Amino acid sequence: MNKKVYEEALERSDGGLCEICTSHIGVELHHIIYGNGKRKQCERIESVIFLCWDHHHGNEGIHGKNGHALELELKLELQLTYFDMGMNEDEVRKWMGGKLYD
Ligand SMILES: [Zn+2]
Ligand SMILES: [Zn+2]
């Protein structure tokens, strides 16, 4: 992944703490937009988040069996961030991997 993005994310997360609960256990960087080859082309500082093991792979974690709500929440937040940054709809759609969420 882009080294600069990774380093900025480290800084934002106090050195790699979960950005939801600040736990340090099993923390990994999650790409909010992934799948269908979108992960790399949609990677930027706003689209990655450090997650602890629970929030990443636990039952309620983003890749867990009940993780759909959290996944959608992060995507909606990201979309809002892009609009707040002044992007137009086409740009937001591009950075969201080709679709808008609601
Ligand atoms: Zn967490
Ligand atoms: Zn992930």
Side-chain angles (χ1 to χ4, degrees):
M1 76 170 288
N2 182 303
K3 194 165 177 248
K4 185 162 172 277
V5 168
Y6 186 80
E7 277 166 9
E8 274 183 60
L10 264 184
E11 203 167 307
R12 186 184 64 199
S13 62
D14 276 330
L17 299 179
C18 176
E19 295 183 70
I20 294 178
C21 72
T22 72
S23 165
H24 66 278
I25 298 169
V27 175
E28 293 171 333
L29 195 69
H30 171 73
H31 286 71
I32 296 172
I33 306 297
Y34 60 94
N36 301 324
K38 303 292 184 196
R39 174 180 157 136
K40 196 163 182 190
Q41 78 188 61
C42 294
E43 181 182 281
R44 44 187 291 157
I45 182 65
E46 295 85 7
S47 73
V48 296
I49 181 171
F50 275 107
L51 295 174
C52 67
W53 194 90
D54 275 345
H55 278 118
H56 204 193
H57 301 294
N59 282 346
E60 314 299 322
I62 210 149
H63 299 298
K65 61 177 179 180
N66 303 322
H68 188 70
L70 179 58
E71 185 187 355
L72 187 61
E73 192 184 310
L74 288 184
K75 283 181 168 157
L76 287 170
E77 247 174 61
L78 179 62
Q79 181 172 292
L80 197 63
T81 299
Y82 287 154
F83 278 118
D84 283 348
M85 289 165 69
M87 288 187 191
N88 66 36
E89 206 175 297
D90 283 349
E91 288 172 302
V92 175
R93 187 179 286 115
K94 175 188 138 202
W95 286 111
M96 292 304 294
K99 63 182 279 196
L100 295 178
Y101 292 82
D102 57 29

